[in-house]
Each structure stands twice: as structure tokens, then as C-alpha cells.
Amino acid sequence: MTVRKTPSLAVLAGAAVLVTLAACDSKSDTAGTAAGGPIKVAASDTACEVSATTANAGNLTFEITNKGSKVTEFYLYAEGDRIMGEVENIAPGLNRRLIVEVADAGKYQTACKPGMAGTGIRGDFTVTGGVAKQNDSNAQKAQATKSYADYIANNTSALQDETVKFADLVKAGKVDEAKAAYARTRTYYERIEPVAEKFGDLDPAIDVREADLEPNQQFTGFHRLEKDLFKTGLQPDSAQIADKLVTDVKDLVTKTKTLELSALDLANGAKGLLDEVATGKITGEEEAFSHTDLWDFQANVDGSKGAITSLRPILQAKDAALVSTLDKEFANVQGLLDKQRAGDGFKLYTDLSQDQVKEFASAVDALSEPLSKVAEVVSK
């Protein structure tokens, strides 16, 4: 993500969730470097040391070790800060693996983000050669990406419709109705957030939190309107912010229509959505003013499950045991969410007890571990 929700490690859930980010083995399934091994990344609070700065096109494997004192992230960017792949929430001392398909030769950038904030510590990275995308060469993977593209289209269409309605309520000064529509509208965005993150500045324009603002960055999007509705009251420029949100969402919808995704994008997106839960929803930091974090939690789980559903035939053929584990852990998380339902939504995050937060953290931990294996299975 171009702008990350910064986690509070003091929150009870944090330590439990981060347990999932355990060390991966050193086996590589693709030619990440000319020598055939994975590209090693040593991340610290002040450096991002990448063992190779060139690689052949194809599935690139990065193995990231956090040697610093802060939770960090690792990104591979294309031109315009388009995210090719990302790994979030890497706790100090832990390792994470990123497998990302890069079919086109060209100039890219690697980035480590100590503290999970800012533009990161960047380095140039060159990809040479060129290969056919997996979804062009494998019918089963092509079907998976088509299925997921339909899921994205349905949710972006609903996102646009609901955002227009939400913005109209804000502009009409109908505060209570806008509050009621807020969490429901965001559901469609939270389901497809990994796709939104692929378009440069659109994700922060739509979804930046006040706590994550960079110097001189304008506070716009859903969370600015959340603050206006739930804390300060509508401001003189609230209508303008609402109009900009509609414009940005429409731009996102247009761009997603031409986006080509690979099966690896789906796998990494499914894991990324669980990382979103771990870094924002479990901690209660995502919805700082409305406390509607459980709506977002549910949407992230829905989006992750949507990607896995599209990949299911591939996973079933290659690792049926993994599919069974995923089904079990998804059901466990959903069961806990169902216990917190209130009407057609959920209880506020502030109504949860510390024990309930811990229980959620453990369930996300248990689901995150098998999700971290999906990309490796898909890449084979």
C-alpha cells in the first residue's frame, strides 16, 4: 500500500497476530536471480539491502529478513509507484517470502518501510527478458483470474453506486443517514483493496488515515469524512471532499476494468487482506472515529476468501490438505465475527473485551499461516 495503517504494538492483539509472520524456508520455486535462488532482502531501520538488483522476467522470489527494531514492509514497485507485490507486517527478527510475477522487462524499485510508513528506503531493480503471463499460458489459472475479475467488477460497481449515495448524504447535511451508510459503503472497498493499491496515489486518496498523513499531504477520502461525521461535525469543505471521493472511486472503477491480474496476484492479495486485518482491524486503528472496524474485518475476510475461491481448483489439485486447512480456519474466523453481529452489521470495536480481541487475534493468526503458503503452491 502506498500509505500504510501504522500498527500499535502495544495493543494486546498485536503480538499474537505477528506470530504468523514466521520464518519461511529457503526453497525457491522460480528463478529469482541468475543463480536460481531467491533474492535476499535484509531490512533494518535505516537500510534495505537487496542481494541482487537484476533478475530475469518471470516469478521472482524475495526472502525478507527484518533485522531492525521496527515492524517493516517490503514492496516491489513498477513505474508510477504501481505495486507489483508487497509483504506487510514483518516483525523484528522474522522472515517473510514474496513471490511475484513480473512478465515485462523494465525498470522497477524495491522498497523497505521501517515503521510501515512513508515512501520507504528504495533501490533500483531491473528485470530483463520477457515471458508470457501465467494467465495466458495456463487455462486453469486463466479461469481463476477471470473468476476473480468478475468478483472485482461486481464489487467496484457496488462501490461506485454506494459512494455516490454516501456523498450525496454528506452534501445534503444528513449526518445521521451518512453515518449509517458509512460502514456499508466501505465494505466494497475493503473487499478489493489489494487491487486499489496497484494504482499509485488512488489508495491513499481514498483510504488514508489521519495518523498516516505525510507532511503536506491533504487529508481526503473515507476517513476524512469519517472524522467529519463522527467527531468534529461537517466542515466547510466536507462537500468538496465528498465530491473528490466520488471522482477517485470512479477513476478506480475505470482503471480496474483494464487491469490484468495473474494467479499470483490473487494469492498475494488474499494474504494481503489478512495483513490488513492484523494491522488495522484487530487493533481498532482503522476506524478511529466511527469504531466500525468489524465491518472492515468482515469485508477483508470476504475479499480474501473470494480470491481463494477463484484459486480453489488449482489449490485442490496441488495441495488438497491446504484447502481443507483454509476452509477450517476461514470458518473459525467467520464464526467469531458472527458472534459480534448487531442488526445488519456489527458491534463497535470499543464494545469488544480484551479477551474477545485476543480470540480474534488467535483466529487470524491460525488463518494467516496457511494463507502464506498459497503463493508458493500457485507458483509451481
Side-chain angles (χ1 to χ4, degrees):
M1 181 180 292
T2 307
V3 177
R4 169 56 41 210
K5 291 83 175 171
T6 306
S8 170
L9 299 182
V11 178
L12 283 169
V17 174
L18 294 176
V19 173
T20 66
L21 311 179
C24 297
D25 63 31
S26 60
K27 181 181 177 181
S28 173
D29 299 305
T30 58
T33 69
I39 299 167
K40 304 288 187 179
V41 180
S44 70
D45 296 346
T46 58
C48 186
E49 299 175 1
V50 183
S51 65
T53 57
T54 62
N56 295 326
N59 290 346
L60 308 185
T61 301
F62 295 89
E63 289 190 350
I64 306 99
T65 301
N66 185 358
K67 298 183 177 182
S69 62
K70 301 177 181 178
V71 177
T72 194
E73 301 173 322
F74 177 77
Y75 290 74
L76 180 67
Y77 289 109
E79 290 185 6
D81 277 0
R82 182 166 60 90
I83 298 173
M84 301 298 296
E86 62 179 305
V87 178
E88 305 169 359
N89 209 18
I90 311 172
L94 295 185
N95 300 339
R96 287 291 299 277
R97 171 176 286 189
L98 171 66
I99 305 174
V100 57
E101 182 184 11
V102 182
D104 299 321
K107 300 294 185 181
Y108 297 81
Q109 283 192 321
T110 56
C112 299
K113 292 189 180 181
M116 300 174 69
T119 58
I121 302 168
R122 300 204 177 197
D124 292 332
F125 192 87
T126 302
V127 174
T128 59
V131 297
K133 283 182 175 288
Q134 288 188 359
N135 58 356
D136 293 330
S137 60
N138 184 293
Q140 198 173 40
K141 290 177 180 177
Q143 181 56 44
T145 57
K146 180 182 182 301
S147 172
Y148 189 66
D150 291 341
Y151 179 83
I152 294 297
N154 289 336
N155 278 277
T156 53
S157 176
L159 172 64
Q160 179 171 311
D161 291 344
E162 294 303 314
T163 302
V164 169
K165 294 175 185 176
F166 171 65
D168 286 345
L169 292 171
V170 171
K171 291 188 290 183
K174 298 180 179 180
V175 173
D176 289 341
E177 292 178 57
K179 283 182 176 180
Y182 173 76
R184 180 182 66 251
T185 303
R186 279 184 52 74
T187 290
Y188 302 104
Y189 185 80
E190 290 290 333
R191 286 175 181 167
I192 56 103
E193 190 164 3
V195 173
E197 291 172 359
K198 291 184 175 292
F199 300 112
D201 293 335
L202 269 181
D203 176 57
I206 293 171
D207 197 40
V208 68
R209 292 193 319 128
E210 187 175 35
D212 297 321
L213 289 172
E214 300 295 330
N216 301 317
Q217 181 183 0
Q218 185 184 10
F219 189 19
T220 62
F222 279 116
H223 291 302
R224 162 57 201 280
L225 294 176
E226 178 200 9
K227 182 178 182 180
D228 293 356
L229 290 168
F230 291 89
K231 184 177 181 181
T232 64
L234 293 179
Q235 301 296 300
D237 65 342
S238 294
Q240 179 184 346
I241 296 296
D243 282 336
K244 176 173 169 38
L245 176 61
V246 171
T247 298
D248 289 337
V249 165
K250 288 182 176 179
D251 190 15
L252 173 64
V253 173
T254 298
K255 289 182 176 180
T256 58
K257 291 178 180 177
T258 59
L259 180 65
E260 292 185 12
L261 296 171
S262 70
L264 270 176
D265 287 326
L266 274 62
N268 290 326
K271 182 60 172 64
L273 282 166
L274 254 289
D275 288 340
E276 285 287 325
V277 172
T279 59
K281 286 69 177 182
I282 285 278
T283 63
E285 295 176 75
E286 178 77 5
E287 305 292 352
F289 309 111
S290 65
H291 306 300
T292 55
D293 303 88
L294 292 185
W295 278 261
D296 294 352
F297 189 157
Q298 179 69 73
N300 287 161
V301 171
D302 289 343
S304 181
K305 193 171 183 178
I308 295 301
T309 297
S310 295
L311 291 170
R312 190 179 184 91
I314 299 170
L315 297 174
Q316 188 68 43
K318 294 184 175 183
D319 193 338
L322 178 61
V323 174
S324 295
T325 300
L326 287 167
D327 287 346
K328 174 186 174 183
E329 301 305 341
F330 268 119
N332 185 35
V333 171
Q334 188 60 61
L336 293 179
L337 279 165
D338 289 343
K339 291 180 181 179
Q340 303 305 325
R341 291 193 179 276
D344 60 355
F346 293 90
K347 295 178 183 178
L348 299 182
Y349 180 85
T350 48
D351 291 338
L352 297 179
S353 67
Q354 291 184 348
D355 286 343
Q356 287 169 329
V357 171
K358 287 181 179 180
E359 191 173 22
F360 271 128
S362 295
V364 171
D365 176 43
L367 174 55
S368 185
E369 193 277 331
L371 274 177
S372 69
K373 299 177 180 179
V374 172
E376 192 164 357
V377 173
V378 168
S379 70
K380 294 177 181 178

